[in-house]
Amino acid sequence: MILYPAIDLKGGECVRLAQGDMARATVYNKDPGAQAAAFKAQGFEWLHVVDLDGAFAGNAVNGPAVEAILKATDVPVQLGGGIRSLAMIEGWLKRGLTRVILGTVALRDPALVIEACKLFPGHVAVGIDARDGMVAVEGWAETSSITAIDLAKRFEDAGVSALIFTDIARDGLLTGVNVPATAALADAVSIPVIASGGLAGLADIEALMAVAGTPIAGAISGRALYDGRLDPAAALALTKRAA
């Protein structure tokens, strides 16, 4: 299982939100590039980056901060937040991103996701953010009438490289990952699933890795890393031992 440290960008700074509420943001680092370099030095092999402002605006807002991250480290980076056109996808991949994460557009325009997977094979992931099991979009400001599993199934044969599944109710609160919902999604489709939202410590990683059905491909950690509740060396050693 791959462990992804999260860099959430708001106003060019690294922050963490509570349940996706932009008014409940804690700034952890004013230099995203330095944060990316620190995560690489700790041994992480991927970075998960979200343009929070972009998710609400529907276009890239923290572009300079993302570029600073790409310049500061050579580890693969996946980016979500406001990416809603083929031109934007192509532009980011040309600038060095390894993977783009499509969220709102996956619900609004699934045909675009399918086309993107054909044009950029292996470089497109879908972000599924759920509130009480229902997909939320537009920076989590709107809750739809479709379930996370039903949305995932739309892309079963599209070539999506991964599904990033976030339980909004737990995000940023350190209350533990929603293991049952994540496992149910993984069992429902053949696309690799990455867990997000609420990871509080080693116990969450162990619980995800112990899922009896389809293995969970990865987990994203934000606040637990920034607050020191999750030791990077111990967490990475745990994932490597299991591998």
Side-chain angles (χ1 to χ4, degrees), residues 84-137:
R84 299 179 189 173
S85 71
L86 292 174
M88 292 180 70
I89 295 168
E90 182 176 18
W92 275 120
L93 292 177
K94 284 184 175 179
R95 276 181 274 184
L97 278 182
T98 299
R99 191 154 65 197
V100 297
I101 304 167
L102 305 180
T104 295
V105 75
L107 180 68
R108 302 276 196 243
D109 188 3
L112 186 146
V113 177
I114 294 169
E115 181 66 15
C117 289
K118 292 178 182 176
L119 293 173
F120 314 107
H123 298 288
V124 177
V126 167
I128 299 182
D129 307 324
R131 182 181 286 113
D132 297 324
M134 310 307 289
V135 175
V137 294

Coordinates of all heavy atoms in Angstrom, one line a residue, residues 84-137:
R84 N -10.9 20.7 -14.9 CA -12.2 20.4 -15.5 C -12.2 20.5 -17.0 O -13.3 20.6 -17.6 CB -13.3 21.3 -14.9 CG -13.4 21.1 -13.4 CD -14.4 21.9 -12.7 NE -14.3 21.8 -11.3 CZ -15.0 22.5 -10.4 NH1 -15.8 23.4 -10.9 NH2 -14.8 22.4 -9.1
S85 N -11.0 20.4 -17.7 CA -11.0 20.4 -19.1 C -9.8 19.6 -19.6 O -8.8 19.4 -18.9 CB -10.9 21.8 -19.7 OG -9.6 22.4 -19.5
L86 N -9.9 19.1 -20.9 CA -8.8 18.3 -21.4 C -7.5 19.2 -21.6 O -6.4 18.8 -21.4 CB -9.2 17.8 -22.8 CG -10.3 16.7 -22.8 CD1 -10.7 16.3 -24.2 CD2 -9.8 15.4 -22.1
A87 N -7.7 20.5 -21.9 CA -6.6 21.4 -22.0 C -5.9 21.6 -20.7 O -4.6 21.6 -20.7 CB -7.1 22.8 -22.5
M88 N -6.6 21.7 -19.6 CA -6.0 21.8 -18.3 C -5.2 20.5 -17.9 O -4.1 20.6 -17.4 CB -7.0 22.1 -17.2 CG -7.7 23.5 -17.3 SD -8.9 23.8 -16.0 CE -7.8 23.9 -14.6
I89 N -5.8 19.4 -18.2 CA -5.2 18.1 -18.0 C -3.8 18.0 -18.7 O -2.8 17.7 -18.1 CB -6.1 16.9 -18.4 CG1 -7.3 16.9 -17.5 CG2 -5.3 15.6 -18.3 CD1 -8.4 15.9 -18.0
E90 N -3.9 18.3 -20.0 CA -2.7 18.2 -20.8 C -1.6 19.2 -20.3 O -0.4 18.9 -20.2 CB -3.0 18.5 -22.3 CG -1.8 18.4 -23.2 CD -2.2 18.6 -24.7 OE1 -3.3 19.2 -24.9 OE2 -1.4 18.3 -25.5
G91 N -2.1 20.4 -20.0 CA -1.1 21.4 -19.5 C -0.4 21.0 -18.2 O 0.8 21.2 -18.1
W92 N -1.1 20.4 -17.3 CA -0.5 20.0 -16.0 C 0.4 18.8 -16.3 O 1.5 18.8 -15.7 CB -1.5 19.7 -15.0 CG -2.0 20.8 -14.2 CD1 -3.3 21.3 -14.1 CD2 -1.2 21.7 -13.4 NE1 -3.4 22.4 -13.3 CE2 -2.1 22.7 -12.9 CE3 0.1 21.8 -13.1 CZ2 -1.6 23.7 -12.1 CZ3 0.6 22.8 -12.3 CH2 -0.3 23.8 -11.8
L93 N 0.0 17.9 -17.1 CA 0.9 16.8 -17.3 C 2.2 17.2 -18.0 O 3.3 16.7 -17.7 CB 0.2 15.7 -18.2 CG -1.0 15.0 -17.5 CD1 -1.7 14.1 -18.4 CD2 -0.5 14.3 -16.2
K94 N 2.1 18.2 -18.9 CA 3.3 18.7 -19.6 C 4.2 19.4 -18.6 O 5.4 19.5 -18.8 CB 2.9 19.7 -20.7 CG 2.4 19.0 -22.0 CD 2.1 20.0 -23.1 CE 1.7 19.2 -24.4 NZ 1.4 20.2 -25.5
R95 N 3.6 20.0 -17.5 CA 4.5 20.7 -16.6 C 5.1 19.8 -15.5 O 5.8 20.2 -14.7 CB 3.6 21.8 -15.9 CG 3.5 23.1 -16.7 CD 2.7 24.1 -15.9 NE 1.3 24.0 -16.2 CZ 0.3 24.8 -15.8 NH1 0.7 25.8 -15.0 NH2 -0.9 24.6 -16.2
G96 N 4.8 18.5 -15.6 CA 5.5 17.5 -14.8 C 4.6 16.7 -13.8 O 5.2 15.9 -13.1
L97 N 3.3 17.0 -13.8 CA 2.5 16.1 -12.9 C 2.5 14.7 -13.4 O 2.5 14.4 -14.6 CB 1.0 16.6 -12.9 CG 0.7 17.8 -12.0 CD1 -0.8 18.0 -12.1 CD2 1.0 17.5 -10.6
T98 N 2.4 13.7 -12.5 CA 2.3 12.3 -12.9 C 0.8 11.9 -13.1 O 0.5 11.2 -14.0 CB 2.9 11.4 -11.8 OG1 4.3 11.8 -11.7 CG2 2.8 10.0 -12.2
R99 N 0.0 12.5 -12.3 CA -1.4 12.1 -12.4 C -2.3 13.3 -12.0 O -2.0 14.0 -11.0 CB -1.7 11.0 -11.4 CG -3.0 10.3 -11.5 CD -2.9 8.8 -11.0 NE -2.6 8.7 -9.6 CZ -2.2 7.6 -9.0 NH1 -2.0 6.5 -9.8 NH2 -1.9 7.5 -7.7
V100 N -3.4 13.5 -12.7 CA -4.4 14.5 -12.4 C -5.6 13.8 -11.8 O -5.9 12.6 -12.1 CB -4.9 15.3 -13.6 CG1 -3.8 16.1 -14.2 CG2 -5.5 14.4 -14.7
I101 N -6.3 14.4 -10.9 CA -7.5 13.9 -10.2 C -8.7 14.7 -10.6 O -8.7 15.9 -10.4 CB -7.3 13.9 -8.6 CG1 -6.0 13.2 -8.2 CG2 -8.5 13.3 -8.0 CD1 -5.6 13.5 -6.8
L102 N -9.6 14.0 -11.2 CA -10.9 14.6 -11.7 C -12.0 14.3 -10.7 O -12.3 13.2 -10.5 CB -11.2 14.2 -13.1 CG -10.1 14.3 -14.1 CD1 -10.5 13.8 -15.5 CD2 -9.6 15.8 -14.2
G103 N -12.6 15.4 -10.1 CA -13.7 15.2 -9.1 C -15.0 15.6 -9.6 O -15.8 14.9 -10.1
T104 N -15.2 17.0 -9.6 CA -16.5 17.5 -10.0 C -16.9 17.1 -11.5 O -18.0 16.7 -11.8 CB -16.5 19.0 -9.9 OG1 -16.4 19.4 -8.5 CG2 -17.8 19.7 -10.5
V105 N -15.9 17.2 -12.3 CA -16.1 16.9 -13.8 C -16.5 15.4 -13.9 O -17.2 15.0 -14.9 CB -14.9 17.3 -14.6 CG1 -13.8 16.3 -14.5 CG2 -15.3 17.4 -16.1
A106 N -16.1 14.5 -13.0 CA -16.4 13.1 -13.1 C -17.9 12.9 -13.0 O -18.5 12.0 -13.6 CB -15.6 12.3 -12.1
L107 N -18.5 13.8 -12.2 CA -20.0 13.7 -12.0 C -20.7 14.5 -13.1 O -21.7 14.0 -13.7 CB -20.4 14.2 -10.6 CG -21.9 14.2 -10.3 CD1 -22.4 12.8 -10.2 CD2 -22.2 15.0 -9.1
R108 N -20.2 15.7 -13.4 CA -20.9 16.5 -14.4 C -20.7 16.1 -15.8 O -21.6 16.2 -16.6 CB -20.3 18.0 -14.2 CG -20.4 18.6 -12.8 CD -21.8 19.2 -12.6 NE -21.8 20.1 -11.5 CZ -22.5 19.9 -10.4 NH1 -23.3 18.8 -10.3 NH2 -22.5 20.7 -9.4
D109 N -19.5 15.6 -16.1 CA -19.2 15.3 -17.5 C -18.3 14.0 -17.6 O -17.1 14.0 -17.9 CB -18.5 16.4 -18.2 CG -18.3 16.3 -19.7 OD1 -18.8 15.3 -20.3 OD2 -17.6 17.2 -20.3
P110 N -18.9 12.8 -17.3 CA -18.1 11.6 -17.3 C -17.5 11.3 -18.7 O -16.4 10.6 -18.7 CB -19.2 10.5 -16.9 CG -20.5 11.1 -17.2 CD -20.3 12.6 -16.9
A111 N -18.1 11.8 -19.7 CA -17.5 11.5 -21.1 C -16.1 12.2 -21.2 O -15.2 11.6 -21.8 CB -18.4 12.1 -22.2
L112 N -15.9 13.3 -20.5 CA -14.6 14.0 -20.5 C -13.6 13.1 -19.8 O -12.4 13.0 -20.3 CB -14.7 15.3 -19.8 CG -13.4 16.2 -19.9 CD1 -13.8 17.7 -20.0 CD2 -12.5 16.0 -18.7
V113 N -14.0 12.5 -18.7 CA -13.0 11.6 -18.0 C -12.6 10.4 -18.9 O -11.5 10.0 -19.0 CB -13.7 11.1 -16.7 CG1 -12.8 10.1 -16.0 CG2 -14.0 12.2 -15.8
I114 N -13.6 9.8 -19.6 CA -13.3 8.7 -20.4 C -12.4 9.1 -21.6 O -11.4 8.4 -21.9 CB -14.7 8.1 -21.0 CG1 -15.5 7.5 -19.8 CG2 -14.4 7.1 -22.1 CD1 -16.9 7.2 -20.2
E115 N -12.6 10.3 -22.2 CA -11.8 10.8 -23.2 C -10.4 11.0 -22.7 O -9.4 10.7 -23.3 CB -12.3 12.0 -23.8 CG -11.5 12.6 -25.0 CD -11.5 11.8 -26.2 OE1 -12.3 10.8 -26.3 OE2 -10.6 12.0 -27.1
A116 N -10.3 11.6 -21.5 CA -9.0 11.9 -20.9 C -8.2 10.6 -20.7 O -6.9 10.6 -20.9 CB -9.1 12.6 -19.6
C117 N -8.9 9.6 -20.2 CA -8.2 8.3 -20.0 C -7.6 7.7 -21.3 O -6.5 7.1 -21.3 CB -9.1 7.3 -19.4 SG -9.5 7.7 -17.7
K118 N -8.3 8.0 -22.4 CA -7.8 7.5 -23.7 C -6.6 8.3 -24.2 O -5.6 7.8 -24.7 CB -8.9 7.6 -24.8 CG -10.1 6.6 -24.6 CD -11.2 6.9 -25.6 CE -12.3 5.9 -25.4 NZ -13.5 6.2 -26.3
L119 N -6.7 9.6 -24.0 CA -5.6 10.5 -24.4 C -4.4 10.5 -23.5 O -3.2 10.6 -24.0 CB -6.1 12.0 -24.5 CG -7.2 12.3 -25.5 CD1 -7.7 13.7 -25.3 CD2 -6.6 12.1 -26.9
F120 N -4.6 10.2 -22.2 CA -3.5 10.3 -21.3 C -3.5 9.0 -20.4 O -3.7 9.1 -19.2 CB -3.5 11.5 -20.4 CG -3.8 12.8 -21.2 CD1 -5.0 13.4 -21.1 CD2 -2.8 13.3 -22.0 CE1 -5.3 14.6 -21.8 CE2 -3.1 14.5 -22.7 CZ -4.3 15.1 -22.6
P121 N -3.3 7.8 -21.0 CA -3.5 6.6 -20.3 C -2.5 6.5 -19.1 O -1.3 6.8 -19.2 CB -3.1 5.5 -21.3 CG -2.4 6.2 -22.4 CD -2.9 7.6 -22.4
G122 N -3.0 6.1 -18.0 CA -2.2 5.9 -16.8 C -2.0 7.2 -16.0 O -1.4 7.2 -14.9
H123 N -2.6 8.3 -16.5 CA -2.3 9.6 -15.8 C -3.6 10.2 -15.3 O -3.6 11.4 -14.8 CB -1.6 10.5 -16.8 CG -0.3 10.1 -17.2 ND1 0.8 10.1 -16.4 CD2 0.1 9.6 -18.4 CE1 1.8 9.6 -17.1 NE2 1.5 9.3 -18.3
V124 N -4.7 9.5 -15.3 CA -6.0 10.1 -14.8 C -6.6 9.3 -13.7 O -6.8 8.1 -13.8 CB -7.0 10.2 -16.0 CG1 -8.3 10.7 -15.5 CG2 -6.4 11.0 -17.1
A125 N -6.8 10.0 -12.6 CA -7.5 9.4 -11.4 C -8.9 10.1 -11.2 O -9.0 11.2 -11.7 CB -6.7 9.5 -10.2
V126 N -9.8 9.5 -10.5 CA -11.1 10.1 -10.2 C -11.2 10.2 -8.7 O -10.9 9.3 -7.9 CB -12.2 9.3 -10.8 CG1 -13.6 9.7 -10.2 CG2 -12.3 9.3 -12.3
G127 N -11.5 11.5 -8.3 CA -11.7 11.7 -6.9 C -13.2 11.6 -6.5 O -14.0 12.3 -7.1
I128 N -13.5 10.7 -5.6 CA -14.9 10.5 -5.2 C -15.0 10.9 -3.7 O -14.5 10.3 -2.8 CB -15.4 9.1 -5.4 CG1 -15.3 8.7 -6.9 CG2 -16.8 8.9 -4.8 CD1 -15.8 7.3 -7.2
D129 N -15.6 12.1 -3.5 CA -15.8 12.6 -2.1 C -17.2 12.4 -1.7 O -18.1 12.8 -2.4 CB -15.4 14.1 -2.1 CG -14.0 14.3 -2.7 OD1 -13.1 13.5 -2.5 OD2 -13.8 15.4 -3.4
A130 N -17.4 11.7 -0.6 CA -18.8 11.4 -0.2 C -19.2 11.9 1.2 O -18.4 11.9 2.1 CB -19.0 9.9 -0.2
R131 N -20.4 12.4 1.2 CA -21.0 12.8 2.5 C -22.2 11.9 2.7 O -23.2 11.9 2.0 CB -21.5 14.3 2.4 CG -22.1 14.8 3.6 CD -22.5 16.3 3.5 NE -21.4 17.2 3.5 CZ -21.0 17.9 2.4 NH1 -21.7 17.8 1.2 NH2 -20.0 18.7 2.4
D132 N -22.1 11.1 3.8 CA -23.1 10.1 4.1 C -23.4 9.2 2.9 O -24.5 8.8 2.6 CB -24.5 10.7 4.5 CG -24.3 11.6 5.8 OD1 -23.6 11.1 6.7 OD2 -25.0 12.6 5.9
G133 N -22.3 8.8 2.2 CA -22.4 7.9 1.1 C -22.7 8.5 -0.3 O -22.6 7.9 -1.3
M134 N -23.1 9.8 -0.3 CA -23.5 10.5 -1.5 C -22.4 11.4 -2.0 O -21.7 12.1 -1.2 CB -24.8 11.3 -1.3 CG -25.9 10.5 -0.6 SD -26.3 8.9 -1.5 CE -27.1 9.6 -2.9
V135 N -22.2 11.4 -3.3 CA -21.0 12.2 -3.9 C -21.3 13.7 -3.7 O -22.4 14.2 -4.0 CB -20.9 11.8 -5.3 CG1 -19.8 12.7 -6.0 CG2 -20.5 10.4 -5.5
A136 N -20.2 14.4 -3.2 CA -20.3 15.8 -3.1 C -19.3 16.4 -4.1 O -18.2 15.9 -4.3 CB -19.9 16.3 -1.7
V137 N -19.6 17.6 -4.7 CA -18.8 18.2 -5.7 C -18.7 19.7 -5.4 O -19.2 20.2 -4.4 CB -19.4 18.0 -7.1 CG1 -19.3 16.5 -7.5 CG2 -20.8 18.5 -7.2

